[in-house]
Amino acid sequence: MSDKPKVAVLGSGSWATAIVKMLCENLNEVGWYIRKQSTVDYIKENHHNPNYLSSAEFKMEQLNISSNINEIVNYADILIFAVPSAFVKAEFDKITESLSSKIVFSAIKGIIPESGLIVGEHFNQKLNIPFENIGVITGPCHAEEVAMERLSYLTIACRDMDKATVVSNCIKSRYIKTKISDDIIGTEYAAMLKNIYAIAAGVAHGLGYGDNFQSVLMSNSIREMKRFIKKVHKMKRNINNSAYLGDLLVTGYSTFSRNRMFGNMIGKGYTVKSAQMEMSMIAEGYYAAKSAYVLNEKNKANTPIIDAVYQILYQNKNPKKVFVKLTEKLD
Amino acid sequence: MSDKPKVAVLGSGSWATAIVKMLCENLNEVGWYIRKQSTVDYIKENHHNPNYLSSAEFKMEQLNISSNINEIVNYADILIFAVPSAFVKAEFDKITESLSSKIVFSAIKGIIPESGLIVGEHFNQKLNIPFENIGVITGPCHAEEVAMERLSYLTIACRDMDKATVVSNCIKSRYIKTKISDDIIGTEYAAMLKNIYAIAAGVAHGLGYGDNFQSVLMSNSIREMKRFIKKVHKMKRNINNSAYLGDLLVTGYSTFSRNRMFGNMIGKGYTVKSAQMEMSMIAEGYYAAKSAYVLNEKNKANTPIIDAVYQILYQNKNPKKVFVKLTEKLD
């Protein structure tokens, strides 16, 4: 594969927009699939996304932008999916072009609700994409800071390290540093689990716990994450690398995280339903809590925080009581 | 030693006051040495500390309070030092009572400037207190949250685990959970190093780095802390326990941390001198950076963050340039 491959981003949210911006620093042309024709038209006329990261300006001669997913799939060697996990299945169902020669990266942080799988596993098991053609782009990264060109570090994971390197070279720039990894399963689970821990952090805040407890919750979360991932996919990994701990921290300590906000409302007394209705979209951690809980029933890692979030979200347990019990299990 | 030993706190700051409050939950009487007679008089009349945590009310019949350090040393079996590290030597110089039968705990987070040693080592090397009589009380803990009775977790470390248990039993309560540890050296170094990392976090913020970078800085800090402590005192420890990672997080993410504030001013362009003059007292991390740097010249752990802070504080290097170089060394 050439050093300047054809790359396309699929999705129109803030993270998709940020990735297009990063790619435009290095590539002469970037493919961009956006579901709504009206958004495509807006970008063509105004040179920025109308809804997300609108401060990021694009040069139209650099973009191959379309609302036809097959056109973009056909165009690119490397596809980077950055749609919400709840829409992955629907988008893939539209694809009639063959994916057999494509490299498919996920920048999606979550679980595919229909399959209960992380994206890489879903690509592999449900779409028959071989693991050596699957990759993950993971944070710690608020898209908004990419728009502001604030220094950020990304991890590019793929079993085939050459492919990770190619994508890494397309993404790194003055304000983006990249690291490659072969732990695609671990980094993806970390990206998913952190959303559950961010919900827990939000619930704790909503219930009135302070900064002292938050730091204990986060240090327990990273140890729990390590135990959980080890059961799923045992390999040598340093859980304190940015792709795991950094990603947890940027979400757990961010008051802008949708997951933390969702947890906070529940801690303050909203029901799960009303908190979801109050927010414009469902927080990724909501699905993740169920999948992680179900998976762990088999794996049996010690996961008191995931269990607590699951009990609150799916078993209608009282958050205050659940957290009193949880505090006994932390140290 | 009895389960209800005679315990005294030495110091009058917010952390000392918080510890007295914690002890009063369990003990009929608590000794309290305060340097200034006027503060002693104020507390006796108004039942709270005039300067720190004034919302914490005390019952006078529970306090044996005095400005005579020897009276308090003579009274207690267990002495808990919670004076700023810069005053430890001066306070010890006043003690004429024998310490040979005393258990001496440190709740001091820092380095003794005169000896360049962490407090436990200073007690041992300079005051001939045997290690089995030395202990450490460590966070993650803002004293202010103890005053508000918000749930907090403390680690009580002592080589003699029975003594750690006795102190732990005196301190734990409805809102304080405790854990015991035999890693007195490691927990003390963690408490000291975290102040350097908090300065680094402050400098980064002052220079305009965002949340993405902060999370990378913190995940690099905990790995650096692990490498540093391992060189000083090799033993099996989980660096992600609350006493290490939790303590780092509560300080690194706190906008109230003196160390972070100090770093922030330097990042914003204050000289070290003017930042120190602007703040009413010198941030502990200032001394810690020098001691850690000097110690590590011998130990040779890879410590790019400590090195960067040292260069800024002691070698008059430009913070912006130092951080540009530092970002190349993080991942």
Side-chain angles (χ1 to χ4, degrees), chain B residues 116-143:
Chain B
L117 298 171
I118 53 170
V119 182
E121 287 176 341
H122 183 90
F123 284 175
N124 178 255
Q125 292 181 27
K126 303 292 171 185
L127 304 163
N128 298 317
I129 302 170
F131 261 119
E132 57 271 23
N133 283 350
I134 296 172
V136 169
I137 299 174
T138 186
C141 209
H142 291 305

PDB file of all heavy atoms in Angstrom, chain B residues 116-143:
ATOM      1  N   GLY B 116      16.664  17.040  52.544  1.00  0.00           N
ATOM      2  CA  GLY B 116      16.320  16.501  51.226  1.00  0.00           C
ATOM      3  C   GLY B 116      15.708  15.105  51.307  1.00  0.00           C
ATOM      4  O   GLY B 116      15.676  14.381  50.325  1.00  0.00           O
ATOM      5  N   LEU B 117      15.216  14.744  52.468  1.00  0.00           N
ATOM      6  CA  LEU B 117      14.656  13.400  52.656  1.00  0.00           C
ATOM      7  C   LEU B 117      13.142  13.458  52.782  1.00  0.00           C
ATOM      8  O   LEU B 117      12.583  14.472  53.229  1.00  0.00           O
ATOM      9  CB  LEU B 117      15.226  12.768  53.933  1.00  0.00           C
ATOM     10  CG  LEU B 117      16.742  12.530  53.986  1.00  0.00           C
ATOM     11  CD1 LEU B 117      17.143  12.098  55.400  1.00  0.00           C
ATOM     12  CD2 LEU B 117      17.144  11.464  52.975  1.00  0.00           C
ATOM     13  N   ILE B 118      12.459  12.377  52.387  1.00  0.00           N
ATOM     14  CA  ILE B 118      11.043  12.267  52.732  1.00  0.00           C
ATOM     15  C   ILE B 118      10.958  12.109  54.242  1.00  0.00           C
ATOM     16  O   ILE B 118      11.930  11.751  54.914  1.00  0.00           O
ATOM     17  CB  ILE B 118      10.347  11.086  52.023  1.00  0.00           C
ATOM     18  CG1 ILE B 118      11.103   9.776  52.259  1.00  0.00           C
ATOM     19  CG2 ILE B 118      10.164  11.364  50.538  1.00  0.00           C
ATOM     20  CD1 ILE B 118      10.347   8.541  51.806  1.00  0.00           C
ATOM     21  N   VAL B 119       9.776  12.375  54.773  1.00  0.00           N
ATOM     22  CA  VAL B 119       9.651  12.529  56.222  1.00  0.00           C
ATOM     23  C   VAL B 119      10.031  11.245  56.968  1.00  0.00           C
ATOM     24  O   VAL B 119      10.748  11.295  57.972  1.00  0.00           O
ATOM     25  CB  VAL B 119       8.231  13.012  56.586  1.00  0.00           C
ATOM     26  CG1 VAL B 119       8.118  13.227  58.083  1.00  0.00           C
ATOM     27  CG2 VAL B 119       7.913  14.301  55.835  1.00  0.00           C
ATOM     28  N   GLY B 120       9.557  10.116  56.477  1.00  0.00           N
ATOM     29  CA  GLY B 120       9.873   8.848  57.140  1.00  0.00           C
ATOM     30  C   GLY B 120      11.372   8.610  57.230  1.00  0.00           C
ATOM     31  O   GLY B 120      11.906   8.222  58.270  1.00  0.00           O
ATOM     32  N   GLU B 121      12.066   8.867  56.129  1.00  0.00           N
ATOM     33  CA  GLU B 121      13.520   8.695  56.116  1.00  0.00           C
ATOM     34  C   GLU B 121      14.192   9.704  57.057  1.00  0.00           C
ATOM     35  O   GLU B 121      15.160   9.380  57.738  1.00  0.00           O
ATOM     36  CB  GLU B 121      14.067   8.885  54.694  1.00  0.00           C
ATOM     37  CG  GLU B 121      13.747   7.726  53.771  1.00  0.00           C
ATOM     38  CD  GLU B 121      14.205   7.978  52.331  1.00  0.00           C
ATOM     39  OE1 GLU B 121      14.425   9.151  51.966  1.00  0.00           O
ATOM     40  OE2 GLU B 121      14.315   6.993  51.579  1.00  0.00           O
ATOM     41  N   HIS B 122      13.664  10.923  57.069  1.00  0.00           N
ATOM     42  CA  HIS B 122      14.208  11.949  57.968  1.00  0.00           C
ATOM     43  C   HIS B 122      14.035  11.513  59.424  1.00  0.00           C
ATOM     44  O   HIS B 122      14.975  11.605  60.220  1.00  0.00           O
ATOM     45  CB  HIS B 122      13.505  13.290  57.704  1.00  0.00           C
ATOM     46  CG  HIS B 122      14.043  14.428  58.517  1.00  0.00           C
ATOM     47  ND1 HIS B 122      15.083  15.227  58.077  1.00  0.00           N
ATOM     48  CD2 HIS B 122      13.722  14.892  59.747  1.00  0.00           C
ATOM     49  CE1 HIS B 122      15.349  16.140  58.994  1.00  0.00           C
ATOM     50  NE2 HIS B 122      14.530  15.961  60.019  1.00  0.00           N
ATOM     51  N   PHE B 123      12.843  11.035  59.771  1.00  0.00           N
ATOM     52  CA  PHE B 123      12.596  10.550  61.140  1.00  0.00           C
ATOM     53  C   PHE B 123      13.620   9.466  61.492  1.00  0.00           C
ATOM     54  O   PHE B 123      14.159   9.430  62.588  1.00  0.00           O
ATOM     55  CB  PHE B 123      11.196   9.931  61.258  1.00  0.00           C
ATOM     56  CG  PHE B 123      10.069  10.922  61.311  1.00  0.00           C
ATOM     57  CD1 PHE B 123       8.743  10.482  61.317  1.00  0.00           C
ATOM     58  CD2 PHE B 123      10.300  12.293  61.369  1.00  0.00           C
ATOM     59  CE1 PHE B 123       7.686  11.378  61.376  1.00  0.00           C
ATOM     60  CE2 PHE B 123       9.244  13.197  61.419  1.00  0.00           C
ATOM     61  CZ  PHE B 123       7.940  12.728  61.423  1.00  0.00           C
ATOM     62  N   ASN B 124      13.852   8.582  60.531  1.00  0.00           N
ATOM     63  CA  ASN B 124      14.728   7.449  60.787  1.00  0.00           C
ATOM     64  C   ASN B 124      16.189   7.873  60.856  1.00  0.00           C
ATOM     65  O   ASN B 124      16.900   7.587  61.822  1.00  0.00           O
ATOM     66  CB  ASN B 124      14.511   6.383  59.705  1.00  0.00           C
ATOM     67  CG  ASN B 124      15.426   5.187  59.879  1.00  0.00           C
ATOM     68  OD1 ASN B 124      16.396   5.033  59.151  1.00  0.00           O
ATOM     69  ND2 ASN B 124      15.141   4.351  60.865  1.00  0.00           N
ATOM     70  N   GLN B 125      16.638   8.580  59.825  1.00  0.00           N
ATOM     71  CA  GLN B 125      18.070   8.873  59.719  1.00  0.00           C
ATOM     72  C   GLN B 125      18.521   9.999  60.647  1.00  0.00           C
ATOM     73  O   GLN B 125      19.617   9.952  61.187  1.00  0.00           O
ATOM     74  CB  GLN B 125      18.437   9.248  58.276  1.00  0.00           C
ATOM     75  CG  GLN B 125      18.315   8.071  57.309  1.00  0.00           C
ATOM     76  CD  GLN B 125      18.709   8.465  55.890  1.00  0.00           C
ATOM     77  OE1 GLN B 125      19.510   9.381  55.684  1.00  0.00           O
ATOM     78  NE2 GLN B 125      18.161   7.776  54.904  1.00  0.00           N
ATOM     79  N   LYS B 126      17.698  11.021  60.796  1.00  0.00           N
ATOM     80  CA  LYS B 126      18.132  12.202  61.544  1.00  0.00           C
ATOM     81  C   LYS B 126      17.684  12.163  62.993  1.00  0.00           C
ATOM     82  O   LYS B 126      18.264  12.831  63.853  1.00  0.00           O
ATOM     83  CB  LYS B 126      17.593  13.483  60.881  1.00  0.00           C
ATOM     84  CG  LYS B 126      17.994  13.662  59.415  1.00  0.00           C
ATOM     85  CD  LYS B 126      19.485  13.917  59.266  1.00  0.00           C
ATOM     86  CE  LYS B 126      19.889  13.865  57.799  1.00  0.00           C
ATOM     87  NZ  LYS B 126      21.339  13.997  57.614  1.00  0.00           N
ATOM     88  N   LEU B 127      16.604  11.419  63.279  1.00  0.00           N
ATOM     89  CA  LEU B 127      16.069  11.427  64.635  1.00  0.00           C
ATOM     90  C   LEU B 127      16.136  10.051  65.279  1.00  0.00           C
ATOM     91  O   LEU B 127      15.636   9.848  66.383  1.00  0.00           O
ATOM     92  CB  LEU B 127      14.627  11.945  64.623  1.00  0.00           C
ATOM     93  CG  LEU B 127      14.471  13.339  63.986  1.00  0.00           C
ATOM     94  CD1 LEU B 127      13.016  13.610  63.636  1.00  0.00           C
ATOM     95  CD2 LEU B 127      14.997  14.421  64.917  1.00  0.00           C
ATOM     96  N   ASN B 128      16.742   9.110  64.563  1.00  0.00           N
ATOM     97  CA  ASN B 128      16.952   7.759  65.100  1.00  0.00           C
ATOM     98  C   ASN B 128      15.687   7.043  65.544  1.00  0.00           C
ATOM     99  O   ASN B 128      15.719   6.244  66.480  1.00  0.00           O
ATOM    100  CB  ASN B 128      17.941   7.802  66.271  1.00  0.00           C
ATOM    101  CG  ASN B 128      19.297   8.305  65.806  1.00  0.00           C
ATOM    102  OD1 ASN B 128      19.768   7.906  64.743  1.00  0.00           O
ATOM    103  ND2 ASN B 128      19.889   9.214  66.570  1.00  0.00           N
ATOM    104  N   ILE B 129      14.581   7.348  64.893  1.00  0.00           N
ATOM    105  CA  ILE B 129      13.355   6.606  65.212  1.00  0.00           C
ATOM    106  C   ILE B 129      13.365   5.343  64.351  1.00  0.00           C
ATOM    107  O   ILE B 129      13.546   5.422  63.139  1.00  0.00           O
ATOM    108  CB  ILE B 129      12.113   7.477  64.913  1.00  0.00           C
ATOM    109  CG1 ILE B 129      12.185   8.773  65.729  1.00  0.00           C
ATOM    110  CG2 ILE B 129      10.824   6.707  65.207  1.00  0.00           C
ATOM    111  CD1 ILE B 129      11.148   9.809  65.355  1.00  0.00           C
ATOM    112  N   PRO B 130      13.211   4.171  64.968  1.00  0.00           N
ATOM    113  CA  PRO B 130      13.263   2.947  64.157  1.00  0.00           C
ATOM    114  C   PRO B 130      12.088   2.877  63.189  1.00  0.00           C
ATOM    115  O   PRO B 130      10.987   3.348  63.499  1.00  0.00           O
ATOM    116  CB  PRO B 130      13.182   1.823  65.193  1.00  0.00           C
ATOM    117  CG  PRO B 130      12.651   2.442  66.428  1.00  0.00           C
ATOM    118  CD  PRO B 130      13.000   3.893  66.403  1.00  0.00           C
ATOM    119  N   PHE B 131      12.322   2.272  62.015  1.00  0.00           N
ATOM    120  CA  PHE B 131      11.290   2.244  60.973  1.00  0.00           C
ATOM    121  C   PHE B 131       9.995   1.586  61.442  1.00  0.00           C
ATOM    122  O   PHE B 131       8.911   1.962  61.001  1.00  0.00           O
ATOM    123  CB  PHE B 131      11.809   1.569  59.697  1.00  0.00           C
ATOM    124  CG  PHE B 131      12.241   2.552  58.653  1.00  0.00           C
ATOM    125  CD1 PHE B 131      13.557   2.595  58.192  1.00  0.00           C
ATOM    126  CD2 PHE B 131      11.335   3.473  58.129  1.00  0.00           C
ATOM    127  CE1 PHE B 131      13.944   3.528  57.235  1.00  0.00           C
ATOM    128  CE2 PHE B 131      11.715   4.402  57.163  1.00  0.00           C
ATOM    129  CZ  PHE B 131      13.024   4.428  56.717  1.00  0.00           C
ATOM    130  N   GLU B 132      10.097   0.606  62.339  1.00  0.00           N
ATOM    131  CA  GLU B 132       8.853  -0.055  62.759  1.00  0.00           C
ATOM    132  C   GLU B 132       7.981   0.848  63.640  1.00  0.00           C
ATOM    133  O   GLU B 132       6.827   0.540  63.894  1.00  0.00           O
ATOM    134  CB  GLU B 132       9.126  -1.404  63.445  1.00  0.00           C
ATOM    135  CG  GLU B 132      10.035  -1.352  64.637  1.00  0.00           C
ATOM    136  CD  GLU B 132      11.515  -1.517  64.241  1.00  0.00           C
ATOM    137  OE1 GLU B 132      11.844  -1.228  63.071  1.00  0.00           O
ATOM    138  OE2 GLU B 132      12.311  -1.930  65.091  1.00  0.00           O
ATOM    139  N   ASN B 133       8.549   1.994  64.064  1.00  0.00           N
ATOM    140  CA  ASN B 133       7.738   2.965  64.821  1.00  0.00           C
ATOM    141  C   ASN B 133       7.309   4.159  63.972  1.00  0.00           C
ATOM    142  O   ASN B 133       6.780   5.131  64.491  1.00  0.00           O
ATOM    143  CB  ASN B 133       8.523   3.475  66.035  1.00  0.00           C
ATOM    144  CG  ASN B 133       8.533   2.445  67.157  1.00  0.00           C
ATOM    145  OD1 ASN B 133       7.807   1.449  67.094  1.00  0.00           O
ATOM    146  ND2 ASN B 133       9.361   2.681  68.159  1.00  0.00           N
ATOM    147  N   ILE B 134       7.607   4.094  62.688  1.00  0.00           N
ATOM    148  CA  ILE B 134       7.285   5.222  61.801  1.00  0.00           C
ATOM    149  C   ILE B 134       6.139   4.830  60.877  1.00  0.00           C
ATOM    150  O   ILE B 134       6.122   3.714  60.339  1.00  0.00           O
ATOM    151  CB  ILE B 134       8.514   5.613  60.946  1.00  0.00           C
ATOM    152  CG1 ILE B 134       9.632   6.120  61.859  1.00  0.00           C
ATOM    153  CG2 ILE B 134       8.150   6.673  59.904  1.00  0.00           C
ATOM    154  CD1 ILE B 134      10.951   6.349  61.123  1.00  0.00           C
ATOM    155  N   GLY B 135       5.209   5.729  60.703  1.00  0.00           N
ATOM    156  CA  GLY B 135       4.092   5.455  59.799  1.00  0.00           C
ATOM    157  C   GLY B 135       3.744   6.674  58.975  1.00  0.00           C
ATOM    158  O   GLY B 135       4.266   7.773  59.202  1.00  0.00           O
ATOM    159  N   VAL B 136       2.878   6.446  57.999  1.00  0.00           N
ATOM    160  CA  VAL B 136       2.465   7.510  57.095  1.00  0.00           C
ATOM    161  C   VAL B 136       0.948   7.451  56.933  1.00  0.00           C
ATOM    162  O   VAL B 136       0.375   6.368  56.823  1.00  0.00           O
ATOM    163  CB  VAL B 136       3.135   7.319  55.713  1.00  0.00           C
ATOM    164  CG1 VAL B 136       2.535   8.237  54.675  1.00  0.00           C
ATOM    165  CG2 VAL B 136       4.639   7.531  55.818  1.00  0.00           C
ATOM    166  N   ILE B 137       0.328   8.613  56.931  1.00  0.00           N
ATOM    167  CA  ILE B 137      -1.101   8.704  56.591  1.00  0.00           C
ATOM    168  C   ILE B 137      -1.180   9.427  55.265  1.00  0.00           C
ATOM    169  O   ILE B 137      -0.681  10.548  55.138  1.00  0.00           O
ATOM    170  CB  ILE B 137      -1.879   9.499  57.659  1.00  0.00           C
ATOM    171  CG1 ILE B 137      -1.763   8.795  59.006  1.00  0.00           C
ATOM    172  CG2 ILE B 137      -3.341   9.659  57.247  1.00  0.00           C
ATOM    173  CD1 ILE B 137      -2.378   9.577  60.153  1.00  0.00           C
ATOM    174  N   THR B 138      -1.770   8.779  54.281  1.00  0.00           N
ATOM    175  CA  THR B 138      -1.762   9.396  52.963  1.00  0.00           C
ATOM    176  C   THR B 138      -3.142   9.357  52.305  1.00  0.00           C
ATOM    177  O   THR B 138      -3.989   8.547  52.673  1.00  0.00           O
ATOM    178  CB  THR B 138      -0.649   8.770  52.088  1.00  0.00           C
ATOM    179  OG1 THR B 138      -0.561   9.485  50.864  1.00  0.00           O
ATOM    180  CG2 THR B 138      -0.904   7.322  51.800  1.00  0.00           C
ATOM    181  N   GLY B 139      -3.335  10.288  51.366  1.00  0.00           N
ATOM    182  CA  GLY B 139      -4.632  10.570  50.741  1.00  0.00           C
ATOM    183  C   GLY B 139      -4.988   9.571  49.691  1.00  0.00           C
ATOM    184  O   GLY B 139      -4.426   8.524  49.698  1.00  0.00           O
ATOM    185  N   PRO B 140      -5.874   9.766  48.780  1.00  0.00           N
ATOM    186  CA  PRO B 140      -6.317  11.038  48.183  1.00  0.00           C
ATOM    187  C   PRO B 140      -7.325  11.793  49.053  1.00  0.00           C
ATOM    188  O   PRO B 140      -8.411  11.274  49.297  1.00  0.00           O
ATOM    189  CB  PRO B 140      -7.009  10.578  46.898  1.00  0.00           C
ATOM    190  CG  PRO B 140      -7.490   9.198  47.191  1.00  0.00           C
ATOM    191  CD  PRO B 140      -6.578   8.633  48.222  1.00  0.00           C
ATOM    192  N   CYS B 141      -6.973  12.980  49.461  1.00  0.00           N
ATOM    193  CA  CYS B 141      -7.834  13.642  50.433  1.00  0.00           C
ATOM    194  C   CYS B 141      -7.648  15.148  50.491  1.00  0.00           C
ATOM    195  O   CYS B 141      -6.610  15.637  50.924  1.00  0.00           O
ATOM    196  CB  CYS B 141      -7.567  13.035  51.806  1.00  0.00           C
ATOM    197  SG  CYS B 141      -8.974  13.076  52.891  1.00  0.00           S
ATOM    198  N   HIS B 142      -8.656  15.883  50.061  1.00  0.00           N
ATOM    199  CA  HIS B 142      -8.720  17.302  50.380  1.00  0.00           C
ATOM    200  C   HIS B 142      -9.295  17.430  51.783  1.00  0.00           C
ATOM    201  O   HIS B 142     -10.365  16.887  52.068  1.00  0.00           O
ATOM    202  CB  HIS B 142      -9.684  18.043  49.446  1.00  0.00           C
ATOM    203  CG  HIS B 142      -9.219  18.158  48.041  1.00  0.00           C
ATOM    204  ND1 HIS B 142      -7.997  18.704  47.712  1.00  0.00           N
ATOM    205  CD2 HIS B 142      -9.805  17.831  46.872  1.00  0.00           C
ATOM    206  CE1 HIS B 142      -7.865  18.686  46.397  1.00  0.00           C
ATOM    207  NE2 HIS B 142      -8.930  18.151  45.860  1.00  0.00           N
ATOM    208  N   ALA B 143      -8.582  18.159  52.640  1.00  0.00           N
ATOM    209  CA  ALA B 143      -9.044  18.335  54.018  1.00  0.00           C
ATOM    210  C   ALA B 143     -10.448  18.949  54.055  1.00  0.00           C
ATOM    211  O   ALA B 143     -11.273  18.590  54.899  1.00  0.00           O
ATOM    212  CB  ALA B 143      -8.062  19.229  54.769  1.00  0.00           C
TER     213      ALA B 143
END
